[in-house]
Amino acid sequence: MKKTYLFAMASLFLAAVSCSDDDSNNGPGIVTVTPDPTEEISLNPDDVSDGIIITNGTRVPGDAPTPTGTLPFSLSTTSQSGFQKNGFDISFTAPTNYAGAYIQVQSADGTMADEYWNVTGPNRSNSKAKTLFGKSKNQSKNQDVEIDVDFEDTVSPGTFCYLICIYDTDGNISAPVEVCVEVEAWGGNPNLVGTWNLTKEEVTYGGETDTDIVGEETCDSSTVTCNNDTSLTIDDAYCYTINLAKITFNADGTLSETFNESYRDYNYSATIENCQASYFDSQEYDYAATGYWAYDEEESSLTLVIFNETTNGDPATYENGDAYSVTLEEVTSSTFTVNDPGEEAIKSFFTRQ
């Protein structure tokens, strides 16, 4: 079943976001977004290190071991956002004999924490590499590693840095790489405060763009070979309708969202037996979630961090939140548009309720 909209993906995982510079789009109430001063506070490295949670990570007093041998290591970025409770991820490619990483927090002025983290190897993804919308098989000699760093409640908005180096089973330790983190405050863009309804989505894949309009049925076709060796094309093999998609951004940084879709699929076995389209009963998909939102005015990125969700009546809770980021391309007093880039790019259009 197709689930490519903003709301369903918010529970799985969360790019340049800005208000329109065109004054003609700036309706009543549109204000300039200014940096939150709390995000510029330099956090105490000992407090941050004490407030970190890393699976398979162990705190060790003192400084991280000195690099030895030659072990290539680099990161794609040296600055990133972090989110209260949710933290941040560290992703990199490592050799097959990767054994772990050393991470030591420091302040922006270089003051080191009095401890470091030794994160052992099970964080690596041995057979699959994470991609934007799922996981793809990857059996190459180099494997992707992702270290999930979560925060205790004690880590507040502000800035800090960390040094990370990796080590292998032969005892080699790479040179350290410095990365600086800005822990975002909740909320941050007053232009988004309110309740918004999804009106349509434009999904681009392989150079082709399909448009899904809320309240209108969308169907995909399928061609099958029947048991009598003839072909049958079913124009409405799979049909779905986005009935409702709504999100509320509150000024205190909390959010709530709801999504409802109805869908129907064809019955392959019955169809090829009779060489006539046969269908399963229509079903509904219901999704609701609550959490927090954060806006990064420098990178212009909008991130949703979901802590509680219900899918078709089944509740789920994420202690440290499940984050998902999108690109806010434009915002006016009555509309905003977000873009989820990737192999399957999704552009979503909202209107204020």
Side-chain angles (χ1 to χ4, degrees):
M1 184 176 72
K2 182 181 176 183
K3 284 288 174 286
T4 54
Y5 40 78
L6 169 65
F7 295 88
M9 296 310 299
S11 64
L12 300 177
F13 41 114
L14 225 187
V17 182
S18 63
C19 297
S20 172
D21 292 328
D22 185 352
D23 291 338
S24 64
N25 288 328
N26 291 344
I30 291 295
V31 299
T32 300
V33 180
T34 57
D36 187 324
T38 65
E39 297 172 348
E40 307 303 321
I41 297 174
S42 181
L43 300 177
N44 182 294
D46 290 319
D47 292 341
V48 173
S49 186
D50 188 56
I52 280 177
I53 304 168
I54 305 178
T55 301
N56 299 321
T58 303
R59 289 188 177 90
V60 183
D63 292 331
T66 303
T68 59
T70 58
L71 185 61
F73 173 61
S74 64
L75 295 175
S76 59
T77 181
T78 56
S79 63
Q80 63 184 130
S81 292
F83 303 94
Q84 298 171 75
K85 288 290 288 183
N86 183 256
F88 58 94
D89 293 332
I90 308 173
S91 301
F92 53 89
T93 297
T96 54
N97 63 341
Y98 166 82
Y102 299 127
I103 301 172
Q104 189 161 14
V105 178
Q106 64 179 22
S107 63
D109 64 6
T111 302
M112 306 293 294
D114 59 8
E115 65 179 13
Y116 69 93
W117 282 82
N118 181 11
V119 185
T120 52
N123 292 278
R124 73 183 299 167
S125 174
N126 288 318
S127 61
K128 294 184 179 181
K130 180 169 284 188
T131 61
L132 187 61
F133 291 122
K135 292 180 180 293
S136 60
K137 293 182 179 179
N138 183 345
Q139 300 292 344
S140 64
K141 291 184 178 180
N142 287 335
Q143 301 291 342
D144 283 346
V145 176
E146 182 171 281
I147 298 175
D148 179 18
V149 181
D150 294 325
F151 290 147
E152 301 278 7
D153 291 330
T154 53
V155 179
S156 59
T159 61
F160 68 92
C161 301
Y162 63 87
L163 295 176
I164 178 172
C165 54
I166 65 171
Y167 59 92
D168 62 21
T169 55
D170 296 325
N172 296 304
I173 305 173
S174 74
V177 175
E178 182 186 63
V179 181
C180 290
V181 179
E182 180 175 278
V183 182
E184 304 291 339
W186 295 130
N189 188 336
N191 301 307
L192 291 176
V193 174
T195 297
W196 304 82
N197 291 296
L198 179 71
T199 57
K200 69 174 180 178
E201 288 184 332
E202 294 177 352
V203 182
T204 301
Y205 181 79
E208 296 184 0
T209 300
D210 295 325
T211 300
D212 297 337
I213 298 176
V214 174
E216 295 186 7
E217 186 178 63
T218 299
C219 294
D220 296 327
S221 63
S222 179
T223 299
V224 299
T225 300
C226 301
N227 290 345
N228 60 9
D229 292 330
T230 61
S231 294
L232 174 67
T233 297
I234 310 168
D235 292 331
D236 56 349
Y238 170 70
C239 296
Y240 60 93
T241 303
I242 300 175
N243 300 309
L244 171 69
K246 179 186 298 186
I247 186 166
T248 298
F249 297 109
N250 297 310
D252 62 359
T254 59
L255 70 84
S256 62
E257 52 179 299
T258 57
F259 183 94
N260 176 270
E261 178 185 75
S262 54
Y263 60 94
R264 184 196 66 187
D265 202 354
Y266 80 105
N267 185 325
Y268 175 77
S269 298
T271 296
I272 64 171
E273 175 67 26
N274 302 313
C275 211
Q276 182 176 350
S278 178
Y279 302 90
F280 292 109
D281 292 337
S282 295
Q283 299 184 59
E284 285 197 3
Y285 175 89
D286 282 297
Y287 176 82
T290 58
Y292 287 81
W293 65 282
Y295 177 77
D296 185 338
E297 67 284 341
E298 295 173 346
E299 295 296 328
S300 296
S301 102
L302 173 65
T303 300
L304 316 182
V305 183
I306 301 302
F307 286 91
N308 298 281
E309 68 179 9
T310 301
T311 303
N312 292 339
D314 295 327
T317 299
Y318 305 98
E319 182 178 357
N320 292 98
D322 204 3
Y324 177 61
S325 296
V326 291
T327 301
L328 179 62
E329 292 194 339
E330 181 183 59
V331 59
T332 73
S333 60
S334 59
T335 65
F336 79 85
T337 305
V338 297
N339 185 41
D340 189 354
E343 184 179 3
E344 185 180 50
I346 306 162
K347 192 171 185 178
S348 303
F349 299 80
F350 293 82
T351 58
R352 186 183 293 276
Q353 181 170 297

